[in-house]
Amino acid sequence: DAKTTQPPSMDCAEGRAANLPCNHSTISGNEYVYWYRQIHSQGPQYIIHGLKNNETNEMASLIITEDRKSSTLILPHATLRDTAVYYCIALNSGGYQKVTFGIGTKLQVIP
Amino acid sequence: DAGVIQSPRHEVTEMGQEVTLRCKPISGHDYLFWYRQTMMRGLELLIYFNNNVPIDDSGMPEDRFSAKMPNASFSTLKIQPSEPRDSAVYFCASSFTTGDTEAFFGQGTRLTVV
């Protein structure tokens, strides 16, 4: 699985969009980009994933660059409850699914 | 489905004692993962199973740790003997086989070895 790189921390004002970047320059053609988050003391929670196209769901939007070497998770209107550690993962579409996490980005939403 | 269920939620034990952590995955899921989380090392994958078979246990720290999955609805992670450095939050997760799917995590077991 490709290595991902994220900034260790970010701040965002409540009500504003939070844009969390992820670099995955060694991603292969069959690897999806997944985002999870972990709110303090809870288990990680799935947010969204994509392969090539941009994706949107009720939680967030995922923008993947055309060369697939980087992506951005967008929380359109951040709330205090979005304060969490966000993990970006590159995961193969087939074979054994070894879901491993890096350090992630600690997002602090500020009132 | 109630999600991935772990027990106990909290465990305090003395050094040298055996500890058993339990996990019930979501029904129908083919994969089961055990993770350990500490402030120093973050979220580490210890071992994962596919169709009850251990696939990769390279993350298991040492022989004191063992994991089993006797059937599709139950798994255990055992530490014997336990040491203070094993203190951590242990998470279990499960998912379907196909790549285009997400993993679901339990609420974790907070283990304290004194």
Side-chain angles (χ1 to χ4, degrees):
Chain A
D1 295 333
K3 177 180 170 58
T4 61
T5 305
Q6 299 176 253
S9 64
M10 291 182 63
D11 291 339
C12 177
E14 187 179 17
R16 305 297 293 269
N19 297 283
L20 292 93
C22 179
N23 182 288
H24 32 81
S25 58
T26 61
I27 197 168
S28 63
N30 65 345
E31 286 184 309
Y32 287 82
V33 179
Y34 277 77
W35 284 83
Y36 287 79
R37 74 179 181 183
Q38 186 175 24
I39 297 171
H40 182 62
S41 298
Q42 298 181 20
Q45 174 193 25
Y46 165 82
I47 301 173
I48 198 168
H49 73 283
L51 185 63
K52 294 181 181 179
N53 300 321
N54 298 336
E55 302 287 344
T56 295
N57 63 20
E58 65 280 3
M59 289 182 68
S61 294
L62 174 60
I63 307 299
I64 303 174
T65 58
E66 192 170 342
D67 63 7
R68 300 188 71 240
K69 293 185 176 182
S70 65
S71 61
T72 301
L73 178 75
I74 301 173
L75 308 178
H77 305 286
T79 70
L80 298 179
R81 288 176 294 180
D82 293 322
T83 293
V85 177
Y86 288 77
Y87 298 99
C88 170
I89 304 166
L91 192 60
N92 274 317
S93 61
Y96 294 122
Q97 304 302 319
K98 186 173 180 178
V99 185
T100 57
F101 293 81
I103 297 174
T105 296
K106 169 67 175 175
L107 175 68
Q108 183 70 48
V109 180
I110 303 169
Chain B
D1 201 309
V4 176
I5 299 173
Q6 292 186 246
S7 64
R9 291 294 308 277
H10 302 274
E11 176 80 36
V12 180
T13 190
E14 291 185 348
M15 182 175 63
Q17 296 298 305
E18 177 181 293
V19 176
T20 299
L21 311 181
R22 297 173 175 79
C23 176
K24 181 180 187 306
I26 292 174
S27 178
H29 280 186
D30 302 281
Y31 283 87
L32 184 139
F33 306 85
W34 281 102
Y35 293 86
R36 176 174 69 176
Q37 187 168 37
T38 60
M39 288 292 292
M40 292 296 293
R41 301 175 69 89
L43 197 57
E44 302 174 276
L45 177 65
L46 300 177
I47 184 172
Y48 74 99
F49 296 81
N50 177 227
N51 291 321
N52 313 337
V53 176
I55 302 300
D56 187 338
D57 64 354
S58 59
M60 296 286 262
E62 49 197 273
D63 292 345
R64 297 185 297 107
F65 285 69
S66 63
K68 294 182 179 180
M69 193 165 185
N71 57 62
S73 60
F74 183 65
S75 177
T76 60
L77 178 67
K78 186 176 293 186
I79 308 172
Q80 166 64 18
S82 58
E83 297 182 3
R85 60 192 170 121
D86 301 330
S87 297
V89 181
Y90 291 81
F91 290 103
C92 175
S94 70
S95 70
F96 285 114
T97 298
T98 58
D100 189 12
T101 185
E102 69 267 31
F104 294 82
F105 283 76
Q107 288 302 301
T109 294
R110 180 173 297 276
L111 173 66
T112 303
V113 184
V114 298

